[in-house]
């Protein structure tokens, strides 16, 4: 296969992972490669400078690069084997597993997976010590070796591991005594300065990242193209389910949300600018002309600023919905000061108002304060019915014919009483009511989900499981 | 012209601009492929300075177009020299010239002021055109610029079409105040400049503030680097590091201690909430 074809294939994979790479950029990349050297670093820099135009995309780019241009991969491509055969051919893992004989192995892992309980009692301290040492020293090679050993403890991987990586990750962590290690580090850090702890934390994060990558690489090596594509599609931020985001993905989506906020804001500001020219208000012109004996000397204009749209936002902060609710709060508050008027409430089993938390503050600080100060949970279990009752009682007067009521949640009510009549009363009081549900539609109304029952009372219900859908819904609403 | 990526590095270093390999690659490609170089990154990391250094390295002039809200295409292209026109009107007044004559006269080439974009296109040899802080301009201006940069020509009613006699090296910078359009980004070679590594920042301070002694310089950079690891509203940038270093030199400091840092911290941090955060854990942040 020629280099050109490889780059084209690489671009296809980038697109699968959610990055917008145009044809013109690919041809630019090819031209650029002809000008620069072919060592891996230059190769990487050349491709990234021509194909990636947004720093937020860099992490995903690095990943696709690492997996696609893996040494095994490139070498196998020279003898014109395609993507598929290349991946199959890199099954050298079994060899390197033998290199690990000298390491402290937990007995029993050769046969089955560790379950996490009572495993390798005698060696536990050795594993913890090793973990702690690696973090304290922070030598990248040692960190890589550690996660590699951890991932190898899983033995052969199958489809199930690809489906549910979190479980596999948990097993590796048990094997490496990860949580015990963190506990030891926290204890040690208590006597040290803040800087050291910050450094360790950084290393822990990077170790976790390495762990995911190592597992993904092993999956790709053992399961082939399909695994590569599955792994990359999972990186596609636009289509990633909100309820299964990793920490770096949450951070990246946050950036995308603020981009969305910018876009919405500039649309709104455009609306204002247009109305700035002012339309003649005929009725008022005539009324004004009365004082001049009916001669319309001065035309009256409509308000220069259309009244800001008013929102009341009600966010479920329980469990897996939480991440999504935080995105919504971020969105609301990035455009609120100038373009919309919003009052916000959070709830688990009772609502509390948090509008003031964001006034002249950073969004992160506001969100932190919600968890520290707001009183939105008595039992820690969702209870929509109770929330609607309390809202009617305490806050009903914030609703009126000018407001749009926005409810964010999965409508999972823990089998509590529904109290639909309270929600109906709220919906009837406002101009418009909209429910955003971050859960995949195929799970609506299963188990304790009451989304259809509640949704019927609202004017609109949107499935909002990923960025793409959030983008669409936001544009419709604002 | 630049011969290679290494050559970029070497020549920029001669301009007292210390660049890493990645950035040098982007500069090299932009110049070679004649594509605009879009530089993004936080304020004060050396975006503007890079454009200046490139101009210096190529031994050509830098033409700078500073963007702001409300900048429109005519302001980027040309203006009539209003003051000169006024003077001419006044002086013609004293002669027996008719108004028609005067008018024809004052709207001629002589009273024409080429603004940066037009200057860059009309320049005889390759210049560096720096469109600084493009994110501060309006979207309409951005799309005008995109058009102008796609075939390096503009049409002006008063002058007709002006085509670049030699294609300028174009550098666009953005602090991400607003998102630039995908269309523009697609046309560019992209470079994100982040805060520098310890080694590079140390080298920059050595070059720019040679008066500071070795120990002081190291401590300064160590401290700034550890501040950047904290979650701050506005972490200090290279420009702040340099300002701080110069101040400490003026104060005659040989090294840094808690008191000195607290007294000068407002040079590094602009927000009260950040300063407070640092004050709270100052002892853990100071290098040994
Ligand atoms: N790589 C570098 N080498 C030398 N000086 C640098 C470098 N990067 C930044 N500086 C210095 O930092 C200061 C800020 O740079 P500037 O270009 O104004 O930042 P920006 O345009 O990104 O806001 C300048 O004084 C510049 O000389
Ligand atoms: Mg600048």
């Amino acid at each position: 296969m020629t280099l050109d074809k490889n780059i084209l294939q690489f671009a296809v994979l980038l697109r699968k992972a959610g990055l917008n790479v145009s044809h013109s950029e690919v041809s630019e990349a090819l031209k650029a490669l002809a000008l620069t050297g072919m060592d891996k670093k230059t190769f990487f820099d050349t491709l990234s400078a021509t194909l990636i135009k947004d720093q937020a995309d860099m992490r995903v780019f690095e990943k696709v690069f690492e997996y696609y241009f893996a040494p095994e991969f490139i070498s196998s491509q020279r003898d014109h084997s395609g993507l598929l055969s290349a991946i199959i051919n890199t099954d050298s893992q079994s060899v390197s597993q033998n290199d690990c004989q000298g390491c402290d192995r937990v007995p029993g892992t050769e046969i089955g997976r560790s379950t996490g309980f009572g495993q390798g009692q005698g060696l536990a301290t050795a594993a913890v010590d090793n973990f702690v040492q690696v973090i304290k020293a922070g030598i990248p090679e040692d960190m890589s070796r550690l996660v590699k050993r951890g991932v190898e403890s899983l033995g052969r991987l199958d489809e199930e591991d690809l489906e549910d990586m979190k479980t596999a990750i948990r097993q590796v962590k048990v094997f490496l005594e990860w949580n015990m290690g963190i506990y030891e580090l926290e204890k040690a850090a208590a006597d040290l300065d803040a800087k050291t702890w910050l450094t360790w934390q950084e290393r822990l994060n990077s170790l976790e990242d390495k762990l995911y990558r190592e597992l993904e690489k092993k999956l790709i090596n053992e399961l082939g193209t399909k695994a590569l594509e599955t792994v990359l599609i999972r990186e596609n931020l636009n289509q990633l389910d909100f309820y299964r985001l990793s920490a770096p993905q949450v951070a990246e989506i946050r950036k995308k949300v603020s981009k969305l906020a910018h876009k919405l804001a500039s649309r709104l500001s455009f609306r204002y600018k247009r109305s700035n020219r002012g339309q003649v208000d005929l009725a008022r012109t005539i009324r004004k002309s009365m004082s001049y004996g009916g001669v319309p000397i001065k035309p009256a204009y409509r308000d220069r600023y259309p009244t800001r749209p008013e929102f009341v936002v009600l966010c479920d902060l329980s469990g897996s919905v939480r991440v999504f609710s935080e995105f919504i709060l971020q969105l609301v508050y990035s455009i609120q000061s100038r373009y919309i008027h919003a009052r916000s409430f959070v709830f688990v089993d009772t609502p509390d108002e948090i509008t003031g938390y964001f006034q002249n503050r950073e969004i992160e600080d506001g969100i932190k304060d919600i968890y520290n100060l707001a009183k939105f949970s008595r039992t820690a279990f969702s209870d929509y019915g109770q929330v609607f009752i309390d809202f009617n009682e305490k806050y009903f007067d914030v609703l009126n014919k000018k407001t749009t009521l926005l409810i964010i949640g999965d409508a999972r009510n823990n089998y509590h009483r529904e109290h639909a009549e309270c929600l109906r009363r709220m919906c009837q009081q406002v101009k418009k009511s909209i429910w955003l549900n971050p859960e995949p539609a195929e799970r609506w109304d299963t188990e304790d989900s009451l989304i259809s029952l509640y949704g019927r009372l609202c004017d609109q219900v949107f499935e909002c499981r990923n960025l793409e859908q959030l983008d669409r819904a936001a544009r419709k609403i604002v | 012209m630049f011969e290679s990526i290494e050559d970029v590095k070497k020549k920029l270093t001669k301009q007292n601009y210390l660049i890493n390999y990645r950035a040098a690659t982007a500069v090299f490609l932009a110049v070679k492929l004649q594509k605009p170089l879009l530089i993004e990154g936080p304020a004060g990391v050396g975006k503007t300075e890079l454009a200046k250094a490139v101009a210096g390295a190529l031994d050509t002039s830098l033409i700078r177009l500073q963007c702001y809200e409300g900048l429109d295409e005519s302001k980027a292209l040309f203006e009539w020299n209003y003051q000169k026109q006024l003077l001419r009107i006044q002086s013609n007044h004293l002669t027996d010239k008719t108004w028609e004559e005067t008018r024809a006269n004052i709207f001629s080439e002589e009273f024409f002021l080429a603004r940066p974009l037009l200057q860059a296109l009309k320049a005889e040899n390759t210049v560096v055109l720096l469109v600084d802080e493009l994110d501060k301009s309006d979207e309409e201006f951005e799309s005008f610029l995109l058009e102008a940069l796609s075939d390096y020509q503009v049409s002006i009613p008063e002058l007709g079409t002006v085509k670049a006699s030699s294609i300028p090296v174009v550098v666009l910078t953005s602090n991400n105040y607003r998102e630039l359009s995908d269309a523009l980004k697609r046309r560019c070679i992209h470079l994100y400049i982040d805060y520098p590594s310890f080694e590079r920042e140390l080298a920059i301070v050595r070059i720019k503030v040679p008066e500071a002694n070795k120990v002081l310089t190291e401590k300064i950079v160590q401290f700034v680097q550890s501040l950047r690891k904290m979650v701050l509203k506005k972490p200090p940038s290279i420009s702040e590091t340099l300002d701080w270093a110069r101040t400490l030199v003026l104060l005659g400091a040989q090294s840094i201690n808690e008191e000195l840092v607290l007294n000068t911290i407002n040079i590094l941090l602009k927000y009260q909430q950040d300063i407070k955060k640092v004050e709270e854990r100052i002892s853990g942040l100071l290098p040994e």
Side-chain angles (χ1 to χ4, degrees), chain A residues 431-443:
Chain A
K431 183 172 84 182
K432 201 172 183 190
S433 51
I434 301 168
W435 193 300
L436 300 184
N437 189 341
E439 244 190 0
E442 60 264 23
R443 290 178 49 201

Side-chain angles (χ1 to χ4, degrees), chain A residues 331-346:
Chain A
L331 197 57
V332 167
Y333 282 97
S334 347
I335 51 179
Q336 105 142 5
S337 44
R338 281 175 69 185
Y339 303 111
I340 61 170
H341 186 77
R343 289 183 70 169
S344 310
F345 301 83
V346 291

